[in-house]
Amino acid sequence: MSEPTEQAEHREGAGPDERQHVWDKPRNVKLLFNVLFALCAVVVVLDLLIHRHEVHPWERLVAFYPLFGFVGIVILVGIAKQMRRVLMRPEDYYDG
Amino acid sequence: MGSLMGLPPFLIFFVGALVVALTTGHVRRGVLLAIPVIGALNLLGLEIGDTVEFEMLGYTLVPFKVDRLAMMFGYLFHLAAFLGNLYALHLEKKDGAGVQHTSAVLYAGSAIGAVYTGDLISLFVFWELLALTSVFLIWARKTERSFRVGFRYLVIHVLSGVLLLSGALMLAHETGSIAFGPIELDGSMAGWVILLAFGIKAAFPLVHNWITDAYPEGTPTGTVFLSAFTTKVAVFALVRTFAGADVLIYVGVTMTCFPIFYAVIENDLRRVLSYSMINQIGFMVTGVGLGTALALNGAVAHAFADVIFKGLLFMTMGSVLQMTGRINGSDLGGLYKTMPITATFCVIGALAISAFPLFSAFITKSMVMTAALEEGHVWVWPFLLFASAGVLEHAGIKIPYFSFFGHDSGIRAKEPPKNMLAAMMIGAVLCVVIGVFPGLLYSLLPFAAEYHPYDLTHVLTQMQLLLFGALAVVWLMRTGIYPPEIRALNIDAEWTYRWLGPRLIRGIGGAVARVDSAVRGRVLAVVRKALRGAHRGHGPQGILARTWPTGSMILWVAILLAAFLVFYFLSQTF
């Protein structure tokens, strides 16, 4: 590892005198998630209202893209997590 | 030649590198920024069709040739060199500034030289220079590990160059031409050898691990250069030679899909970006394989966008590494509190690579995906769509989340130096400008194809894919299904040459030694026995060492003669 030019100050958690940052406040985190949920709802509603061009046969399915995005990520993460059982080795595996 | 200088562009970089090596301090910083600017002005003086060629040993060498494809990569590499030099401007003597700056400028010049070549031998020269000049950006880490990594990087790239040269000579034998232009794969061994040479540099599956090995080991600033040039020269070479080769569609699709699984479980965030890079090159390679004007424009446009957004992401991670000394997701988090500007740039890079509307990849990657549908590849397209969703997960969310947000690591690092911030700012602005004004980039595209990225269907479907992908990540994290960052490594194709190979050689070596010693033992025993026998016969007391009386010798001669006569008689009688 290269040496940092200025050694970063390292504290465990927020010190007593440290001000609260944006994402320290649960209210802001909640707001962010609510915005995401609302946008998800909007694009699904739009899918029902707008006629998309369809080229691929799967695209005819209502809400195809939202389903594909959600299921695709779940499958991706699920498989990747299982891959660790086979592929994971200690960090110094090649050094030994 | 045009009204401006109109020199072969690599010359400016090679001469510039010499000046960089001989100067220090502010002068050198000025030269570093001036080289790509002067180079870009020189580009304006080039005209399509400008050529330098000469005969040597019966071959027509074309070290310099200008066409629209070369010009597009020429502009891109000048831009990348400027951003890289600006980002690295603060380097000091203790960082090996002289070596890093000089090799970076030579490296950029080699990439620029490569795209303006018109024959495979000239290409080979720049191809090898790309490896030789860039390895110092890894070795400048000055660690035992970086030395070994750099050596592996060098071996693999020199191998690629040797294959390129062999392929070029085979092609000359087959066709009589070494032109750097379309090459047939049907029934041509030369074509396949050259494809493999390009494939190594383009990180085709199974030969991709040099990227994930070397890029995380480069210096914080060096990896920004590494990410810009080598693989993009390879993409350029594929466009020039193998456009429309079906095999590349399947190679490309494989490249888009397999690295994203590794990216989910990789801890080193610069290695996550390295896997992400293979995924992005996969889209380009697929475009080359599709081979239509739209697909090829998509491949080169995406290469252009990728150099900027991937460069930006590597710059933000380089800043994290430089300011905290850490780069593993398991050690980081909460850095936005003290590095809000860097965090913002990282989020912009993440939005750009994820292809959100109004960001660069939205107007480039979609060209390849549209071309796949138009060409009727109904089984290719779903994989590309899956890979697009995967980009959002590892580069769009994981990179910024685990470094700048997420669990607070307690690290309170400062923002990086101003020059690094300035380079990141330009990169971030370009990600947005390219996304908002696609016409700017489209005007540089080398092939004639009409494409309009901003139609209602495209914007809506892309937002649906990305928003629900993000929703899935939120759900997986909240339920605890999402795999945590773990201090560990994941074995990949490199396992064959980093683990299996050395053990096989050691094993075979051991077996050979055992067989060798057994055989030698036996032979020695036989020799000893023979020596003993000879000693018995010829030694001082041996039967053959005695003195014999002359009479006995006459007797033996008489017996021999008698035997001869008997045999003679018998042979005559029957």
Side-chain angles (χ1 to χ4, degrees), chain B residues 233-251:
Chain B
V233 170
V235 169
F236 163 86
L238 289 171
V239 173
R240 177 141 282 183
T241 47
F242 297 111
D246 283 340
V247 63
L248 291 182
I249 300 175
Y250 306 103
V251 170

Side-chain angles (χ1 to χ4, degrees), chain B residues 55-234:
Chain B
E55 298 282 325
M56 201 172 85
L57 302 171
Y59 296 119
T60 309
L61 295 186
V62 190
F64 179 59
K65 184 180 167 189
V66 182
D67 65 9
R68 282 183 65 83
L69 182 61
M71 284 309 291
M72 169 146 185
F73 279 85
Y75 287 124
L76 174 61
F77 289 161
H78 279 73
L79 180 61
F82 182 80
L83 290 179
N85 279 350
L86 178 58
Y87 184 76
L89 215 56
H90 62 279
L91 291 181
E92 290 168 19
K93 198 169 180 187
K94 68 177 170 60
D95 307 310
V99 172
Q100 286 209 56
H101 286 315
T102 309
S103 66
V105 173
L106 283 173
Y107 177 41
S110 306
I112 291 165
V115 298
Y116 285 99
T117 54
D119 74 278
L120 293 169
I121 304 286
S122 305
L123 177 68
F124 161 77
V125 173
F126 290 111
W127 199 260
E128 293 289 35
L129 280 175
L130 279 172
L132 298 175
T133 53
S134 58
V135 72
F136 293 97
L137 299 172
I138 300 164
W139 282 341
R141 281 289 279 280
K142 294 179 201 156
T143 58
E144 171 70 24
R145 175 191 287 269
S146 74
F147 177 75
R148 280 186 280 132
V149 169
F151 203 73
R152 280 198 292 272
Y153 171 86
L154 206 52
V155 166
I156 290 170
H157 283 277
V158 168
L159 175 68
S160 163
V162 170
L163 285 170
L164 174 59
L165 186 63
S166 313
L169 295 176
M170 288 160 76
L171 191 73
H173 185 70
E174 280 178 18
T175 66
S177 163
I178 52 163
F180 185 17
I183 296 173
E184 287 295 321
L185 283 175
D186 296 335
S188 160
M189 186 68 190
W192 289 100
V193 173
I194 294 171
L195 180 63
L196 181 58
F198 291 171
I200 290 174
K201 269 206 179 9
F204 281 8
L206 301 181
V207 288
H208 63 278
N209 276 128
W210 64 267
I211 287 193
T212 58
D213 188 24
Y215 288 9
E217 285 306 321
T219 63
T221 55
T223 298
V224 175
F225 288 98
L226 293 174
S227 76
F229 297 115
T230 301
T231 53
K232 303 311 174 300
V233 170

Side-chain angles (χ1 to χ4, degrees), chain A residues 1 4 6 9 11 18 21 23-24 33 43-44 47 53 56 65-66 68 73 81 84 87 89 91 93, chain B residues 265 322 325 336-337 378 381-382 389 410 412 414 457 461 464 468 478 481 484 486-487 489 491 495 499:
Chain A
M1 299 295 285
E6 290 165 84
E9 199 183 337
R11 285 186 223 152
E18 191 175 71
H21 291 83
W23 305 115
D24 288 335
F33 286 140
V43 293
V44 170
D47 199 67
H53 310 301
H56 196 280
Y65 283 90
F68 194 97
I73 293 287
K81 198 175 170 181
R84 271 192 171 157
L87 302 177
R89 297 288 186 280
E91 274 183 315
Y93 177 69
Chain B
I265 50 176
Q322 167 132 337
Y336 81 94
K337 294 178 179 178
V378 288
W381 181 80
R412 296 290 178 265
K414 289 181 190 154
T457 299
T461 55
Q464 288 174 330
F468 275 81
R478 283 190 160 187
I481 298 171
I486 299 177
R487 287 188 142 278
L489 63 76
I491 55 170
W495 181 81
W499 196 93

